[in-house]
Amino acid sequence: MSRPADEFPSQARSVRNRLLQVQDSRSPCPYIDSTTARMPLLYPVSPLDGDDVDQLLAGGFRRSGSLLYYTRCAPCHACEPTRVEVNAFRLSNSFKRVLRRADKELTLTWQAPVVDPARVRLYNAHRAGRNLGNSPPIDMADYRGFLTDSCWPTLELEMRRGDQLIGISIMDVGSTSVSAVYTHFDPAASRYSPGTLGVLKQLEWAAKHQRRWVYLGLYVSSNPHLNYKSRYLPQQRLIHGEWVEIRDGAHTPSAEKPSWTNLGTGGSTLPET
């Protein structure tokens, strides 16, 4: 939770009158067992542009399909929206290895999101292989409703080894920011660290397209599926309504600045937005 219980995020107040609240009820928390969550769902009643995206992301909003939500779960304060400033981010040696391996062995393509049976199979295999909940497999309509039906500009990064689809990373795009939505991949392709690769390629895309921020979603320290975000330093987290700088000296990589152009493009196609 990142603000008082009944306060709408101040960073997004200019957009509030264009959002219709469709649900605001308590439910089991999807991130922490035996905890109750409150995540209001809102539907945009008019088109949202890149500036609107930036303001909503700065207020801690996330997208699920064509709906938006934010956390409002006091007294719990575990969820902390997280972002990385592109020009401040530092590539560690392990991050560089992930990029170089992908550049040598994979084909990476940014494009409009696609819905097809291969992506749905990949999503279901990812969920099952990584023990991400007990929900039944989804179908193409579910996939479209969760990831590709969007209320603002959205891209996907397609990861292939030869003809084999091994990963998909969905990213939303604002005027000065981008937002990591969801990455799913073949568990057998773990040697490529597709989850890490997705974030690094989002940072690379943002650098090439003059975006300042990459939003990584919610950080929850006790959740192993969400606490990996602490690796991307320096970063900021939205805590009690304010963005707070996080610099963990024990884990901060080298002060060397990233050089995306020197790492190669690995066949990536980067469309203009």
Side-chain angles (χ1 to χ4, degrees):
M1 175 61 189
S2 56
R3 62 192 63 80
D6 295 318
E7 182 180 338
F8 188 87
S10 61
Q11 296 89 341
R13 282 177 185 158
S14 66
V15 191
R16 186 174 188 176
N17 63 356
R18 289 187 283 136
L19 302 176
L20 175 66
Q21 184 167 290
V22 297
Q23 179 178 307
D24 184 7
S25 60
R26 299 185 182 278
S27 60
C29 179
Y31 308 128
I32 303 175
D33 292 340
S34 303
T35 302
T36 299
R38 183 183 177 190
M39 298 181 178
L41 283 173
L42 301 103
Y43 178 76
V45 295
S46 63
L48 300 176
D49 61 21
D51 293 339
D52 298 328
V53 175
D54 295 335
Q55 292 177 56
L56 287 159
L57 291 175
F61 277 82
R62 305 297 298 158
R63 178 181 70 82
S64 179
S66 58
L67 296 173
L68 302 171
Y69 68 93
Y70 65 100
T71 58
R72 196 174 179 179
C73 313
C76 181
H77 296 260
C79 290
E80 297 173 353
T82 302
R83 68 184 184 184
V84 176
E85 188 167 14
V86 174
N87 290 335
F89 174 67
R90 301 293 180 257
L91 281 168
S92 67
N93 288 333
S94 64
F95 287 158
K96 291 176 183 178
R97 286 194 294 271
V98 170
L99 287 167
R100 289 186 177 123
R101 178 176 291 165
D103 288 345
K104 290 178 181 178
E105 301 182 29
L106 303 180
T107 299
L108 306 173
T109 305
W110 284 106
Q111 59 193 18
V114 175
V115 180
D116 63 14
R119 283 160 170 74
V120 174
R121 285 194 297 271
L122 191 72
Y123 178 93
N124 287 325
H126 173 82
R127 296 280 298 178
R130 293 176 64 83
N131 297 314
L132 298 175
N134 299 315
S135 54
I138 66 170
D139 58 19
M140 288 179 60
D142 296 327
Y143 186 93
R144 180 180 294 107
F146 172 42
L147 292 175
T148 70
D149 282 350
S150 183
C151 55
W152 52 37
T154 300
L155 295 173
E156 74 168 20
L157 175 65
E158 180 187 77
M159 309 176 192
R160 288 187 178 272
R161 183 178 184 185
D163 293 334
Q164 181 185 7
L165 179 68
I166 67 165
I168 294 291
S169 188
I170 303 292
M171 179 181 78
D172 292 338
V173 181
S175 296
T176 64
S177 59
V178 301
S179 175
V181 177
Y182 196 80
T183 297
H184 52 288
F185 53 86
D186 183 351
S190 59
R191 72 182 299 266
Y192 296 107
S193 303
T196 299
L197 179 61
V199 174
L200 295 176
K201 285 297 178 179
Q202 289 160 0
L203 283 156
E204 180 187 87
W205 191 99
K208 287 176 180 273
H209 294 80
Q210 292 81 52
R211 266 57 175 191
R212 180 181 180 185
W213 301 105
V214 173
Y215 286 82
L216 300 182
L218 300 175
Y219 168 82
V220 181
S221 63
S222 63
N223 187 315
H225 300 299
L226 297 176
N227 62 17
Y228 73 89
K229 298 167 189 179
S230 64
R231 299 173 59 208
Y232 301 93
L233 294 168
Q235 63 181 234
Q236 294 183 359
R237 296 183 197 152
L238 189 61
I239 300 173
H240 300 295
E242 300 292 334
W243 286 99
V244 177
E245 192 80 10
I246 304 295
R247 292 180 178 271
D248 185 345
H251 297 91
T252 302
S254 166
E256 177 187 355
K257 290 186 177 181
S259 178
W260 301 110
T261 56
N262 292 337
L263 288 169
T265 59
S268 299
T269 302
L270 300 177
E272 299 296 330
T273 61

